[in-house]
Each structure stands twice: as structure tokens, then as C-alpha cells.
Amino acid sequence: MIEIDAVSHTFPSRTGAVPALRDISLSIRPGEFVAVLGRSGCGKSTLLRVIAGLLRPTSGRVRVDGGEVDRPSRDVPLMFQRPALLPWRSVLDNVLLPVEFAGRRRNGYRSRASELLALAGLGDVERVAPAELSGGMQQRAALCRSLILRPRALLLDEPFSALDAITRTELAGELQRIHMVEGTTMVLVTHSIEEAVLLADRVVVLTPRPGRIQRILDIDIPRPRAADSEAYQQRAGRRAAELHHLLLTAGAISG
């Protein structure tokens, strides 16, 4: 589905080139949920922007469904940390915004928008203005907006990082549920080990800059995963400890 082939990226600077990514190769299967984990500055967000077509890699290439990525596409939207909802539009109208940008008829997507909002627990606030929603609810609406056109893949750049811990856990659970229903291929960049274990089928651990793949860890825990389940906590604890160790030792091999 997503093929990342020997991707490297270097940013120019006044003092010389700054390498962000080095020789990243990764295959992501259709419907898979992959989390990218690493320390600050390791190139996680750069990798996501390369996949999204917002950055051209210095070398290597990215393909989605066999087609090379050379520009942004509605088929592979990128969801950021802030929801960026238009304050003068209702929640429903915000979700339908990509439909208008694509030149399609709103009426053909109204039922889809309502279904997504109901799935995200927002079925009773379709006509509400974004300012009347909590931060977590706004981010759920932004997630529905990203999914309205049934994209091939959804890229998520730390979408819950600005939220409090409890809301963040709740939204991670909602995202897991939506992924199970929609089956959309998802790539999540996160600093949170717990979030990565809860959501991902595989976790890609990057070394410090320049980011290289240190290890890919399978999260072989059945879904649905409940963060408050004792059985889940036992299995997740082992994976979290392994990831924590990988992050602590990543610097030793990043030269």
C-alpha cells in the first residue's frame, strides 16, 4: 500500500546541510496501523511530510498503491496537532469541507458525515459551532473531516499531544474504534509509548537525527484493546518496556 524506498532527507542551512532522515525503507500493508516513535528531532514528522507529498526526499522515493508520491493528495491527508476547524461553520459543515474542495456534491456525503460523527461520539452536535466543543471533541471532528472522502491512507502527526492525559487516552480509544470500522491505513507519529502500543499493529522506532530505523516491533495484542483492562495492561507492559529500552539505547547506534 505505502512503499518507502531508501528515503533520505537533508535540510539546507547557513552552516551546512542538516540530515533529518537517512535510508528509510518500509512497507505498510493496506489497513495496517503503524506508529512511528522516536526522540524529539529524530525526523518523525519529516517522514510523515515526505509520505504526504509535502516534502520531496533528497533521495529515495515513496509510492502509494504503486503510484509515486510527488505532490500532496486528497487520497493521503495529513492530520495535525490542532484541529483547525472554521469557527463560522457548524461541525457538520466543517466535516464536509473537503467535499466542497474536491468539487463534489455535499448531498452525496451528508449521510457519510453523519455516520462518521456518530462513530466518533459527536452525533448530537452536528449543528453546533466548534467554539462550543471541548478540545477533544474538536479533534474528533477534525478526524471525521480527514476521513470523509474515504482516503487510501491517513497520516497523523501527534494529533492528541495538546490534550490532557485523560482526554488523550479517550481519543486514542476512539481512533482505534474508528480504524477497526473504517479499515483505513493509518500512520501515526507520536512521542507516547503507551499510545503507540494501544493503537499500532507495528511500531517503527527511529534513531536520533539523522533518523534511521532502529527496529520494527510487532504489537501482537488482540483488538479491541482496552487501556483499563488488566489483561491488556499485562501484555502492553511488556511491549512498552521493550520500546522504552529501545529509545534509551537508540543514541548509541545513531552516529
Side-chain angles (χ1 to χ4, degrees):
M1 201 290 169
I2 300 176
E3 294 288 337
I4 304 167
D5 183 15
V7 163
S8 296
H9 190 76
T10 300
F11 290 103
S13 74
R14 294 179 181 178
T15 57
V18 178
L21 298 171
R22 181 177 296 167
D23 197 28
I24 301 287
S25 292
L26 177 66
S27 294
I28 299 173
R29 299 181 291 271
E32 189 175 20
F33 199 126
V34 170
V36 182
L37 190 66
R39 296 184 179 184
S40 296
C42 73
K44 301 186 300 296
S45 293
T46 299
L47 178 60
L48 216 58
R49 282 158 175 76
V50 168
I51 299 172
L54 297 173
L55 285 176
R56 294 295 300 272
T58 306
S59 61
R61 61 182 180 174
V62 176
R63 294 186 296 273
V64 176
D65 284 347
E68 186 163 353
V69 175
D70 57 7
R71 62 177 63 88
S73 168
R74 295 189 188 98
D75 284 336
V76 189
L78 174 56
M79 183 175 170
F80 294 98
Q81 297 176 10
R82 301 290 181 179
L85 301 177
L86 299 180
W88 59 87
R89 298 179 64 123
S90 69
V91 170
L92 179 64
D93 285 340
N94 267 284
V95 172
L96 288 168
L97 194 60
V99 175
E100 297 174 28
F101 285 160
R104 303 182 189 181
R105 297 183 60 206
R106 285 167 50 99
N107 286 344
Y109 286 86
R110 283 185 179 275
S111 61
R112 163 113 177 121
S114 294
E115 288 169 5
L116 284 171
L117 288 168
L119 184 60
L122 299 175
D124 58 345
V125 295
E126 286 189 0
R127 302 296 176 182
V128 169
E132 300 179 49
L133 304 181
S134 67
M137 294 172 77
Q138 289 185 29
Q139 200 66 324
R140 291 183 198 181
L143 176 61
C144 294
R145 180 180 60 192
S146 296
L147 293 169
I148 186 68
L149 292 177
R150 300 186 188 275
R152 295 179 183 175
L154 176 60
L155 311 177
L156 304 110
D157 191 0
E158 300 192 70
F160 310 141
S161 62
L163 304 172
D164 64 84
I166 293 176
T167 303
R168 183 168 181 161
T169 300
E170 289 176 347
L171 260 66
E174 292 286 349
L175 180 58
Q176 176 189 204
R177 186 162 61 91
I178 290 171
H179 174 254
M180 292 176 67
V181 172
E182 290 285 306
T184 307
T185 305
M186 295 189 180
V187 184
L188 169 74
V189 158
T190 182
H191 280 99
S192 169
I193 291 174
E194 291 75 18
E195 199 168 84
V197 173
L198 178 65
L199 292 170
D201 299 307
R202 290 187 295 161
V203 179
V204 178
V205 181
L206 296 185
T207 67
R209 192 174 67 194
R212 294 180 293 179
I213 294 180
Q214 179 186 0
R215 187 172 167 190
I216 301 175
L217 183 68
D218 290 327
I219 308 298
D220 53 349
I221 302 176
R223 298 183 187 277
R225 301 168 186 168
D228 58 351
S229 161
E230 184 176 346
Y232 167 79
Q233 288 289 351
Q234 290 177 353
R235 299 187 68 171
R238 292 193 290 272
R239 295 291 177 268
E242 192 169 358
L243 287 169
H244 186 72
H245 175 74
L246 287 170
L247 291 175
L248 287 177
T249 58
I253 66 169
S254 64

